[in-house]
Amino acid sequence: MWIEPNELPVNRVQYLDENGKLTIGAPEVSDDELISMYKWMVQARVFDQRALKFQRQGRIGTYAPLSGQEAAQVGSAFALEKQDWIYPSYREGAALFVHGFPMKNFFLYTMGHLKGTDAEGANVFPVQIIIGAQCLHAVGGAWAGKYQGENSVSVTYIGDGGTSEGDFHEALNFAGVYKLPMVFFVQNNQWAISVPRSKQTASGTIAQKAVAYGITGIQVDGNDVLAVYTTMKQALERARSGQPVLVEAVTYRQGPHTTADDPTKYRNKSDVEDWLAKDPLKRIKAFLLEKGIWNEELEQREFELAEQKVTEAFETAANTPKSKVEDIFEIVYEKKTSQLTEQQQSVSSEGVLK
């Protein structure tokens, strides 16, 4: 029997429309949780805007903006338990902050400081630059957690472009075969640098790719933090019971791929404007205002507080003494080998052989 592409339909989960109006019954989320998620989204937006400026001023290195993806990241990370693990790519600042990763360390990372990989107790793996490699790391972590009897889930974040990498498919296959406690969270932000979603895959959705690997797939409105949070809670519950899940969050990258990119060269202005109308912060703010649990005074205060936190984090990072070449040898293994000690002794603080 032939299986046609349109025989694998995937419905998109959505609670709030573009105007912040409920499309279906409200999920079981408390007012405190709603406000907390919105505050994290505000913090993420302010951080992103400031980080972009810092890069343009030459105060940090290349940076991958996340504006437009706050609901996807905050909603998914907010659903995690403390013992769960995040295996990020390079655009997951908001998710990392929600899960406990220090903002100052993210700035250190963008400055090339060794301490930028220190999660300080948060269950966060170092940022992965190699596209898709974090999926394999997450599989290894999930398998180890299952072997040791931990009640943890490994969550890996990847973009729509990354789903074309072999590592992504190998990880899905492995997770499906061994029933690992894993969630693959795909942020489909429509563009893999200059390659549009339509040129990335012929699949009707990315979520349906899960079917081939024997795992569960679901698509969610990535600009609706309520939908993302509720869906992620369900995905984590499944994963904890040994059912890996692929979540596709449909969202949009409002800015450039990185600060080395110019999106005006390949994106249509009208398309950008259409997506800006779906801005995740505007959507949840409208919902909170309608519920009467938010107002413009609180809004102004929250943005000011967010600015203050970013300033403090950046100043702390900027005033941290620079890493020394010798320090690199201290973080390769938990216990330094004799070969590393020999190599460390042969290098001066200027990074040259003594």
Side-chain angles (χ1 to χ4, degrees):
M1 180 179 179
W2 295 99
I3 300 176
E4 301 294 342
N6 58 9
E7 292 180 357
L8 295 173
V10 176
N11 295 322
R12 185 180 302 178
V13 180
Q14 183 190 70
Y15 283 94
L16 297 177
D17 64 16
E18 297 174 20
N19 299 313
K21 302 293 185 180
L22 285 169
T23 58
I24 55 178
E28 294 183 4
V29 182
S30 70
D31 289 350
D32 287 343
E33 289 174 322
L34 288 171
I35 292 174
S36 183
M37 281 190 280
Y38 181 59
K39 287 182 176 181
W40 276 116
M41 291 171 67
V42 168
Q43 183 67 78
R45 179 63 60 89
V46 171
F47 169 84
D48 193 64
Q49 293 173 339
R50 292 287 298 282
L52 190 59
K53 292 178 181 178
F54 288 143
Q55 194 283 329
R56 299 308 190 199
Q57 295 166 356
R59 304 172 77 179
I60 65 174
T62 303
Y63 174 69
L66 62 85
S67 284
Q69 300 177 219
E70 294 90 350
Q73 293 190 25
V74 171
S76 58
F78 200 83
L80 301 180
E81 300 291 341
K82 185 177 181 180
Q83 72 270 20
D84 296 331
W85 285 85
I86 288 180
Y87 293 78
S89 65
Y90 43 75
R91 203 186 305 279
E92 275 73 63
L96 301 189
F97 300 152
V98 173
H99 204 46
F101 189 85
M103 191 183 298
K104 64 179 177 61
N105 288 13
F106 196 98
F107 277 128
L108 286 171
Y109 163 74
T110 63
M111 296 173 181
H113 201 292
L114 292 177
K115 289 185 179 180
T117 61
D118 187 356
E120 296 187 17
N123 284 0
V124 173
F125 246 56
V127 169
Q128 178 56 252
I129 294 298
I130 300 173
I131 306 299
Q134 70 274 14
C135 298
L136 295 178
H137 300 162
V139 161
W143 199 14
K146 180 177 180 179
Y147 181 77
Q148 295 175 352
E150 298 177 358
N151 186 34
S152 63
V153 175
S154 291
V155 179
T156 186
Y157 287 82
I158 190 169
D160 47 295
T163 64
S164 294
E165 292 288 337
D167 287 357
F168 172 74
H169 295 275
E170 292 167 6
L172 282 172
N173 192 52
F174 207 102
V177 170
Y178 292 97
K179 308 300 180 187
L180 300 180
M182 270 206 68
V183 175
F184 297 85
F185 194 87
V186 180
Q187 294 181 89
N188 176 5
N189 65 15
Q190 312 304 312
W191 291 92
I193 308 183
S194 59
V195 179
R197 157 68 177 82
S198 61
K199 297 284 183 67
Q200 195 62 238
T201 177
S203 297
T205 67
I206 291 174
Q208 71 192 62
K209 294 180 183 291
V211 177
Y213 298 102
I215 71 176
T216 303
I218 189 167
Q219 187 185 75
V220 61
D221 184 337
N223 286 0
D224 176 0
V225 71
L226 283 183
V228 174
Y229 171 69
T230 303
T231 300
M232 192 64 170
K233 290 284 283 187
Q234 296 169 353
L236 291 165
E237 184 178 351
R238 285 172 173 263
R240 245 178 267 282
S241 65
Q243 302 177 59
V245 179
L246 168 61
V247 178
E248 176 191 2
V250 180
T251 182
Y252 191 74
R253 164 171 55 86
Q254 294 181 357
H257 174 71
T258 70
T259 47
D261 171 48
D262 180 5
T264 63
K265 299 294 185 181
Y266 55 83
R267 292 202 304 205
N268 185 292
K269 184 178 180 180
S270 62
D271 289 340
V272 176
E273 292 175 347
D274 288 344
W275 276 100
L276 289 177
K278 303 175 184 178
D279 186 281
L281 270 73
K282 294 179 181 177
R283 187 178 305 196
I284 186 62
K285 177 186 175 182
F287 180 66
L288 298 181
L289 290 172
E290 180 68 24
K291 283 179 65 69
I293 58 176
W294 196 252
N295 55 52
E296 292 302 331
E297 182 180 347
L298 291 172
E299 177 89 353
Q300 180 179 350
R301 188 185 311 163
E302 194 58 36
F303 269 88
E304 291 173 351
L305 180 60
E307 290 277 3
Q308 180 183 337
K309 289 180 178 178
V310 173
T311 298
E312 292 174 353
F314 180 80
E315 290 180 350
T316 299
N319 292 321
T320 300
K322 294 183 178 181
S323 298
K324 298 179 180 179
V325 175
E326 302 97 304
D327 297 338
I328 296 174
F329 301 93
E330 300 291 344
I331 63 172
V332 179
Y333 296 112
E334 182 178 9
K335 184 178 180 181
K336 190 166 54 178
T337 64
S338 58
Q339 291 93 338
L340 284 174
T341 298
E342 182 180 351
Q343 292 171 16
Q344 186 180 40
Q345 294 172 347
S346 69
V347 177
S348 70
S349 58
E350 287 75 31
V352 296
L353 292 176
K354 294 179 179 178

